[in-house]
Amino acid sequence: MRKVNGYVAHSAKEALVPFTFERREVGAKDVQIEILFCGVCHSDLHTARNEWQNTVYPVVPGHEIVGRVTAVGANVKAFKVGDLAGVGCLSDSCRVCPDCADGLEQYCDQEIFTYNSPDKYTGKMTYGGYSNQIITDEHFVLRIPTKLDLAAVAPLLCAGITTYSPLRHWKVGPGSKVGIVGLGGLGHMAVKLAHAMGAHVVLFTTSPNKIEDAKRLGADDVVISKNPDEMKKHLKSFDFILNTVAASHNLDVFTELLKRDGTMCLNGVPEFSHPSPSIFNLIFKRRQIAGSLIGGIKETQEMLDFCAEHNITSDIEIIAMKDVNEAYERMLKGDVKYRFVIDMSTLKVL
Amino acid sequence: MRKVNGYVAHSAKEALVPFTFERREVGAKDVQIEILFCGVCHSDLHTARNEWQNTVYPVVPGHEIVGRVTAVGANVKAFKVGDLAGVGCLSDSCRVCPDCADGLEQYCDQEIFTYNSPDKYTGKMTYGGYSNQIITDEHFVLRIPTKLDLAAVAPLLCAGITTYSPLRHWKVGPGSKVGIVGLGGLGHMAVKLAHAMGAHVVLFTTSPNKIEDAKRLGADDVVISKNPDEMKKHLKSFDFILNTVAASHNLDVFTELLKRDGTMCLNGVPEFSHPSPSIFNLIFKRRQIAGSLIGGIKETQEMLDFCAEHNITSDIEIIAMKDVNEAYERMLKGDVKYRFVIDMSTLKVL
């Protein structure tokens, strides 16, 4: 076991504070990464504050991890010391079920998340990326393109793949008319990715002050979803809508914008249920409401390579580790464009 | 214009009574059918009693129509006098939109239903199959297989195609595990059809007294959906679930039975909304909730031919026209196995 420094939540009501904990030794198939940057995902806040009622304390959040390889096990093939590398939401799975066999480890019933999952190596829970080092099985380590800004790559590991996977699964591309609901951490990535895939992209927001930004990010059109007249112009016209809003809201105003056989995919689980959706809207055009969870490892690598090819990263604001609690408060107010990323060098000087 | 006899509802609160009305003359592309049998669909009752708040009175219900051709227009190619023929829920559409071009007239924005739709020929509303004659454009007339019992074919025109279309669309076949929720008019057809398609069929019901019947109809297994232990055995195992229950109920107990990428398709619009479905259930296995509406004309013919090949008809109880009001009351009590069909020869003796 080796000592690692990080930031921890000891309970739902306390701020995150410095913490020293142990990680396993580097096994034959493990990659040891010095963490350089870690994105701040809304899931980190949900978990730190036990808003999903499943947190085991102490919890070290963080699953948008990029850094440099500092050691590799004897059987590691794809990485060597000095390489850039990343770890996302997943750090292990059963490897044998049909989901794993299909490269969709995120749907494996035994998936191990990068934090707050039982850790078979330490007997404790997994600890995430708010720390200076992580050790992960090679299968769950991503190659990071060198041509992109490293800090701005970090959020691709969650916000990027969470939106890329459904856009690909529902075959978004040239000729598609795609709606993105919400312009936050997920939404701003979805706009960039769908645009790069060649789709006609419409961003739905309740905030008129986001119009300009959405267009800069790649939206062909922006619709204020509170305005029924604007919405009506798009009735029955969308092939696919990716709804990134995790707060409870009326889904019907979006399902009725889908074409026949169109799908609205939800990325977020709201704390309070959405109003019950109109079944009439589904039946009368054979529409679908679906969900999607992050993405598998193979697809995450594909997404990173796609981002390198299209020069896509997240829009970020870099913060020091000690400022993470303030960042949480600002995130709750929507005061972030569009992702905080912790510069992990600021942890060393504690 | 020609005089036709039928049965009509004059208001939401009145019983159906005899009625004489006019139909158009036989046009160049029209087929005139002497109606021999007409199925009694729950939609007939909803419409007669204005439960969907869209009924224009007087209304002549009936859209499960079979009979014999008594005249054809000069340009009719597929039918001749003496042929068996049928008319289902649709009697016209725009013919040019993408839905019509794809043979999915049921999703056309200008679809004309067989009853209670504006009738461009008479300036009134369309009048349905509770009558002794109907005149319909050849495109919307179905060929009826001669080898099947004619009365028992009538319900295929709605209950049959409404379940056949989603089973085909979601590619049910050998190797599929398919759930059917509810054993009524739709459900009993869904069990027969899914079984004939080669799927492993599980019928969900709240009534233990339906177990034997479901197995006779083709179910491989029957699960009492109120029993959590029985339900738990089927977690994450279904490729597709067709939910035929139009009453408000908890959808989550079914969505959690779907495999990754599985779909539950809803056939019914409940009068009161379903409880809001769990988004968690959708996201964690990329599951989908969809809707489906009857079927297009081409697919309806395919369904009739499939039924002839597999010797499938509806289980029916034949009634006289004058007994339709009593049949409605029995339908509301679930006292029908599984479809009432009106013998239209009983109309003539009024």
Side-chain angles (χ1 to χ4, degrees):
Chain A
M1 296 289 183
R2 53 188 58 213
K3 293 280 181 192
V4 174
N5 294 314
Y7 250 60
V8 74
H10 282 295
S11 79
K13 300 290 180 195
E14 290 172 87
L16 277 73
V17 293
F19 183 55
T20 301
F21 59 98
E22 291 183 327
R23 294 209 189 265
R24 68 180 188 257
E25 294 296 330
V26 178
K29 301 211 67 183
D30 284 342
V31 177
Q32 175 186 283
I33 301 166
E34 178 196 1
I35 300 175
L36 299 176
F37 296 99
C38 184
V40 178
C41 175
H42 210 108
S43 302
D44 300 352
L45 188 161
H46 284 305
T47 306
R49 300 184 178 181
N50 196 22
E51 289 173 355
W52 290 331
Q53 285 95 46
N54 68 348
T55 306
V56 179
Y57 294 97
V59 66
V60 177
H63 58 205
E64 295 182 341
I65 299 166
V66 292
R68 197 168 290 282
V69 176
T70 47
V72 296
N75 297 339
V76 167
K77 298 207 167 59
F79 295 90
K80 61 181 195 304
V81 172
D83 285 350
L84 292 180
V87 177
C89 304
L90 298 170
S91 66
D92 212 339
S93 68
C94 84
R95 321 272 186 109
V96 294
C97 72
D99 296 321
C100 288
D102 290 347
L104 295 166
E105 300 90 349
Q106 75 273 32
Y107 299 117
C108 171
D109 287 339
Q110 296 170 54
E111 64 191 336
I112 301 293
F113 291 111
T114 297
Y115 63 83
N116 200 43
S117 275
D119 185 339
K120 66 183 176 188
Y121 298 97
T122 63
K124 299 186 177 175
M125 299 296 275
T126 54
Y127 294 132
Y130 293 5
S131 62
N132 61 353
Q133 190 185 83
I134 194 162
I135 292 156
T136 305
D137 185 290
E138 168 180 42
H139 180 79
F140 291 85
V141 180
L142 287 308
R143 296 185 306 279
I144 301 296
T146 52
K147 66 176 277 196
L148 298 174
D149 175 60
L150 189 62
V153 165
L156 301 182
L157 276 308
C158 174
I161 185 61
T162 297
T163 51
Y164 181 89
S165 182
L167 290 169
R168 282 296 193 210
H169 182 69
W170 277 280
K171 304 193 191 315
V172 165
S176 311
K177 182 174 174 182
V178 173
I180 308 295
V181 185
L183 194 67
L186 292 176
H188 98 289
M189 286 310 311
V191 168
K192 289 184 183 201
L193 291 166
H195 174 73
M197 289 172 187
H200 180 87
V201 181
V202 179
L203 187 276
F204 295 98
T205 177
T206 54
S207 314
N209 61 20
K210 288 190 174 170
I211 293 175
E212 203 176 324
D213 229 19
K215 291 194 169 170
R216 177 183 63 79
L217 295 166
D220 296 285
D221 200 355
V222 181
V223 173
I224 304 302
S225 55
K226 291 181 297 191
N227 184 333
D229 288 338
E230 276 194 60
M231 294 292 275
K232 203 181 290 177
K233 288 179 196 156
H234 294 271
L235 278 174
K236 304 175 188 169
S237 69
F238 283 88
D239 297 286
F240 182 68
I241 295 176
L242 185 60
N243 189 330
T244 72
V245 175
S248 173
H249 64 284
N250 178 2
L251 301 179
D252 300 340
V253 298
F254 299 109
T255 53
E256 69 184 11
L257 304 190
L258 292 166
K259 277 185 193 164
R260 186 239 311 162
D261 289 323
T263 296
M264 176 160 75
C265 176
L266 306 176
N267 265 160
V269 180
E271 194 179 355
F272 304 100
S273 297
H274 299 299
S276 190
S278 160
I279 303 306
F280 183 92
N281 275 5
L282 303 186
I283 287 179
F284 273 74
K285 285 281 178 189
R286 199 163 58 186
R287 295 160 173 142
Q288 301 168 72
I289 296 176
S292 180
L293 178 71
I294 45 178
I297 296 301
K298 188 179 157 199
E299 196 173 42
T300 305
Q301 189 63 59
E302 179 191 308
M303 176 274 305
L304 288 166
D305 297 343
F306 178 88
C307 286
E309 186 188 336
H310 293 271
N311 210 29
I312 292 174
T313 54
S314 176
D315 284 22
I316 62 167
E317 177 178 338
I318 295 183
I319 62 168
M321 185 70 251
K322 70 177 174 50
D323 295 329
V324 68
N325 296 297
E326 187 195 331
Y328 280 6
E329 295 308 316
R330 286 183 53 197
M331 208 156 60
L332 287 173
K333 286 184 284 194
D335 177 22
V336 52
K337 285 186 175 177
Y338 283 91
R339 205 66 151 181
F340 291 116
V341 172
I342 303 164
D343 176 353
M344 215 48 73
S345 70
T346 62
L347 178 65
K348 295 179 183 164
V349 297
L350 282 171
Chain B
M1 296 288 185
R2 53 188 59 213
K3 292 281 181 194
V4 175
N5 294 316
Y7 250 60
V8 75
H10 284 294
S11 79
K13 301 288 180 196
E14 290 172 86
L16 277 72
V17 293
F19 184 55
T20 300
F21 59 98
E22 290 183 328
R23 294 208 189 267
R24 68 179 187 257
E25 294 297 330
V26 178
K29 301 212 67 182
D30 283 341
V31 177
Q32 174 186 283
I33 301 166
E34 179 196 2
I35 300 175
L36 299 175
F37 296 100
C38 183
V40 178
C41 176
H42 210 107
S43 303
D44 300 353
L45 187 160
H46 284 305
T47 306
R49 299 184 180 182
N50 196 22
E51 290 173 354
W52 289 330
Q53 284 95 47
N54 69 347
T55 306
V56 178
Y57 293 98
V59 66
V60 177
H63 58 205
E64 296 181 339
I65 299 165
V66 291
R68 198 167 290 281
V69 175
T70 46
V72 296
N75 297 339
V76 168
K77 298 206 169 59
F79 295 91
K80 61 181 192 307
V81 172
D83 286 349
L84 292 179
V87 176
C89 304
L90 298 170
S91 66
D92 213 340
S93 67
C94 84
R95 320 274 185 107
V96 294
C97 73
D99 295 322
C100 287
D102 290 347
L104 296 166
E105 300 90 349
Q106 76 271 33
Y107 299 117
C108 170
D109 288 337
Q110 295 170 56
E111 64 192 337
I112 301 294
F113 291 111
T114 297
Y115 62 84
N116 200 42
S117 275
D119 185 339
K120 66 182 175 188
Y121 298 98
T122 63
K124 299 186 177 177
M125 299 297 276
T126 54
Y127 295 132
Y130 293 7
S131 61
N132 62 352
Q133 191 185 81
I134 194 162
I135 292 156
T136 305
D137 184 290
E138 166 181 45
H139 180 79
F140 291 86
V141 180
L142 287 309
R143 295 184 307 280
I144 302 296
T146 53
K147 65 177 277 196
L148 298 173
D149 175 60
L150 190 62
V153 164
L156 301 181
L157 277 306
C158 173
I161 184 60
T162 297
T163 52
Y164 181 90
S165 181
L167 291 169
R168 282 296 194 211
H169 182 70
W170 277 280
K171 302 192 191 318
V172 164
S176 311
K177 182 173 175 183
V178 174
I180 308 295
V181 185
L183 193 67
L186 292 175
H188 98 289
M189 285 311 310
V191 168
K192 291 183 183 201
L193 292 166
H195 174 73
M197 289 172 187
H200 180 88
V201 180
V202 179
L203 187 276
F204 296 98
T205 176
T206 54
S207 314
N209 61 20
K210 287 190 175 171
I211 293 175
E212 203 176 323
D213 228 20
K215 290 193 170 172
R216 176 183 63 78
L217 294 166
D220 296 285
D221 200 355
V222 181
V223 173
I224 304 302
S225 56
K226 290 181 298 192
N227 184 332
D229 289 337
E230 275 194 61
M231 295 291 274
K232 203 181 290 177
K233 290 179 195 155
H234 294 271
L235 278 174
K236 304 174 188 169
S237 69
F238 283 88
D239 297 286
F240 182 68
I241 294 176
L242 186 60
N243 190 329
T244 71
V245 175
S248 173
H249 63 285
N250 178 2
L251 301 179
D252 300 340
V253 300
F254 299 109
T255 53
E256 69 184 11
L257 304 189
L258 291 167
K259 279 184 193 167
R260 185 238 311 161
D261 289 324
T263 296
M264 175 160 75
C265 175
L266 307 176
N267 265 159
V269 180
E271 195 178 353
F272 305 100
S273 296
H274 299 300
S276 190
S278 160
I279 302 307
F280 184 93
N281 275 5
L282 302 186
I283 286 180
F284 272 75
K285 285 280 178 191
R286 199 164 57 186
R287 294 160 172 141
Q288 300 167 74
I289 296 175
S292 179
L293 178 72
I294 45 178
I297 296 301
K298 188 179 158 199
E299 196 173 42
T300 304
Q301 189 63 58
E302 179 191 308
M303 176 274 306
L304 287 165
D305 298 342
F306 178 89
C307 286
E309 186 188 335
H310 293 271
N311 210 29
I312 292 173
T313 55
S314 176
D315 284 22
I316 62 166
E317 178 179 338
I318 294 182
I319 61 169
M321 186 70 253
K322 70 177 174 53
D323 295 329
V324 68
N325 297 297
E326 186 195 332
Y328 280 6
E329 295 308 316
R330 287 183 54 199
M331 208 157 61
L332 287 173
K333 286 184 285 194
D335 177 22
V336 52
K337 285 185 174 177
Y338 283 91
R339 204 66 149 182
F340 291 115
V341 172
I342 303 163
D343 176 353
M344 215 48 73
S345 70
T346 63
L347 178 66
K348 295 180 185 164
V349 297
L350 282 171

